Amino acid sequence: MRAYERLQMARAKGRPGALACISSIFTDFYELHGDRFFGEDAAIVGGLARLSGRQVTVIGIEKGGSTDEKLLRNFGSAHPEGYRKALRLMKQAEKFRRPIVTLVDTSGAYCGIGAEERGQGSAIAQNLMEMMRLRVPVVAIVLGEGGSGGALALAVADEVWMLENAVYSVISAEGAASILYKDASKAEKAAEDLKITAQDLSALGVVDRIVSEHGGDFSLCFSDLQTALHDRLSALCALSPEALLAARYAKFRKIGRPER
Amino acid sequence: MLKRSLFKRPKIALENGGEDFSSFSQECPGCGKELSQGELFENLHVCPRCGLHFRLSARQRLAILADEGSFIEHDSALDAADPLAFPGYAEKLQIARKASGENEAVLTGEAAIMGEKTALFIMNGSFMMGSMGSLVGEKLARLFEFAQKERLPVVGFTVSGGARMQEGIISLMQMAKVSGAVKLHGEAGLFYLAVLTDPTTGGVTASFAMEGDIILAEPGALIAFAGPRVIEQTTHKKLPEGFQRAEFLLKNGFIDAIAERKAQRETIAALLAFHKEGADHAGL
């Protein structure tokens, strides 16, 4: 399948987002709100949950389904307070030694006046630094769109997984086409050239596991995901924090390392 | 990832490092004053009338900043990669390398600033808009790891259009890689001073530019996550006066101070000396 087709699937109406995933594979979800500095950002949802009985902290970026939901969630584009809330919940998870699962589905961090005034760059940067050293396991799953820094701010993890038709990219195909090819209609070519599919990213060593979508049967997909998460979290929780942190650093450190 | 136009104004007097004392003069884009190259050079490429800080190449900055003969360059022989085999990228890289005489958009090494020894990186805005290719990430990660091993502080000057689109996800991952190296260096009790220069944007702002223990910026520097044009297009709102300039970030609490170019050597040396006292005890 071509990258552009997968991109359309990743963005398709009705594709389950973070909240749908949370209600399918976790139990006892209790949502926590606010960054304790500025406010609450509904584009990012997070809280306490159980995965096959195990206590976890789950944090996701939610685009929203209905028009009202989309407006409430700002179409899944988070502000700095969203990223700061996510970091607060991750530090809380570290304190109580709960593993962390993040669910990524965003076209990118919000580009707006308020977002800049409140330090979008600074908020993302803090998450990248702090996530690298969280002393509990972190698994990040790209459910639909993984849009650039706004996705990475929840995806510095021990393992990065993607659903079969999810995409993860440094820039939107449309943005790349208009800047690199000076022609926004060349998004199809840009999608191919940018190597944004789960299959490409797995080959590049950026993604550790691809979760089958079973031809669009997401209840099967999420059932697989739950089993796989349970297994991996059990294995990761058995590691010492030192071994975990060393492996996490090495995972990112080797990306883009020259051959010689 | 900003439009090229951001990098076109104000014009850079000397793109490629070498000092050129030709009789050419140029108009200051800030106030319109005619400035001779000699006058600009004498004044560290700052307009004597309006204070506009002209953009500098990494080598020009190095000459202004470091003690003469103190700089030892690192990793200048490493080859930039083309991890996605992106159409046209290999040729673009070759052109950038030839035009700049540098292997990537960042210069790294060790130097002394008024006698204070430090690891140092300076980005090069003229090399593919200072974008973060994998070799930029690699050189920076190596520098922070070197500094940690040698127990040195890091001083870094940023200028960047953000991620390098032609390296796709590999470019994005450099943000995590460098942030990890910055964090480990910091956990060892060592000092990182970031100096943001015009323009610092995108993935660089959202990673190591904003990770300094102390963050300074040159007057008037554009510092942004999303560039002003992107924001205008997304929001259809008029941007406030001075939006995303260094003074705006200072007011909003995201940088520690503005550092005029003339005072940078003294300021940086003093901050390095101040932190040296603490470093003797840190990590014990």
Side-chain angles (χ1 to χ4, degrees), chain A residues 116 133 195 249 253 255, chain B residues 84 138 145 187 226 244:
Chain A
E116 293 289 319
R133 300 296 286 170
K195 302 220 176 14
Y249 184 69
R253 183 65 187 82
I255 300 176
Chain B
L84 307 187
E138 182 66 22
E145 286 170 347
E187 282 183 1
Q244 298 180 318

Side-chain angles (χ1 to χ4, degrees), chain A residues 142-199:
Chain A
V142 184
L143 297 176
E145 273 190 283
S148 201
L152 183 65
L154 287 185
V156 179
D158 301 303
E159 298 208 1
V160 180
W161 300 359
M162 287 176 77
L163 298 198
E164 185 185 343
N165 295 309
V167 296
Y168 191 5
S169 179
V170 71
I171 184 172
S172 72
E174 292 78 10
S178 85
I179 296 173
L180 289 176
Y181 309 133
K182 315 273 174 245
D183 183 353
S185 70
K186 288 198 174 144
E188 206 168 331
K189 174 175 162 50
E192 211 66 48
D193 292 344
L194 281 169
K195 302 220 176 14
I196 60 176
T197 66
Q199 297 70 24

Side-chain angles (χ1 to χ4, degrees), chain A residues 84 91 109-114 116-126 128-130 132-133 146-152 156 168-171 175-176 178-182 189-190 193-195 201 204 206 249 252-258 260, chain B residues 1 3-4 77-79 83-84 86-87 92 134-135 138 141-142 145 163-166 168-177 179-184 187 205-207 210-211 223-226 230-231 234-235 237-240 243-244 248 252 254:
Chain A
R84 294 190 180 114
K91 298 298 269 186
Y110 190 62
C111 299
I113 294 172
E116 293 289 319
E117 282 172 342
R118 300 197 290 278
Q120 189 72 286
S122 177
I124 294 171
Q126 290 306 309
L128 304 186
M129 274 208 301
E130 296 301 324
M132 190 65 89
R133 300 296 286 170
S148 201
L152 183 65
V156 179
Y168 191 5
S169 179
V170 71
I171 184 172
S178 85
I179 296 173
L180 289 176
Y181 309 133
K182 315 273 174 245
K189 174 175 162 50
D193 292 344
L194 281 169
K195 302 220 176 14
L201 299 189
L204 287 166
V206 172
Y249 184 69
F252 287 91
R253 183 65 187 82
K254 72 175 195 292
I255 300 176
R257 194 191 269 278
R260 57 182 182 81
Chain B
M1 288 145 297
K3 294 280 184 188
R4 274 161 211 287
L78 289 177
D79 277 331
L84 307 187
F86 198 93
K92 250 190 184 157
S134 53
L135 188 52
E138 182 66 22
R142 287 186 186 201
E145 286 170 347
R164 187 170 296 164
M165 282 173 285
Q166 295 92 339
I169 199 80
I170 304 296
S171 170
L172 188 71
M173 293 300 135
Q174 303 310 304
M175 292 166 64
K177 174 166 128 181
S179 296
V182 171
K183 179 73 177 168
L184 291 179
E187 282 183 1
T205 298
S207 62
M210 285 294 168
E211 292 168 351
I223 302 157
F225 173 63
V230 174
I231 292 176
T234 314
T235 62
K237 281 187 187 142
K238 195 173 152 39
L239 304 179
F243 184 60
Q244 298 180 318
F248 172 92
N252 285 317
F254 290 100

Side-chain angles (χ1 to χ4, degrees), chain B residues 140-157:
Chain B
L140 289 171
R142 287 186 186 201
L143 185 75
F144 278 92
E145 286 170 347
F146 164 84
Q148 188 185 340
K149 196 165 135 260
E150 300 294 321
R151 298 206 57 78
L152 284 173
V154 175
V155 172
F157 283 76

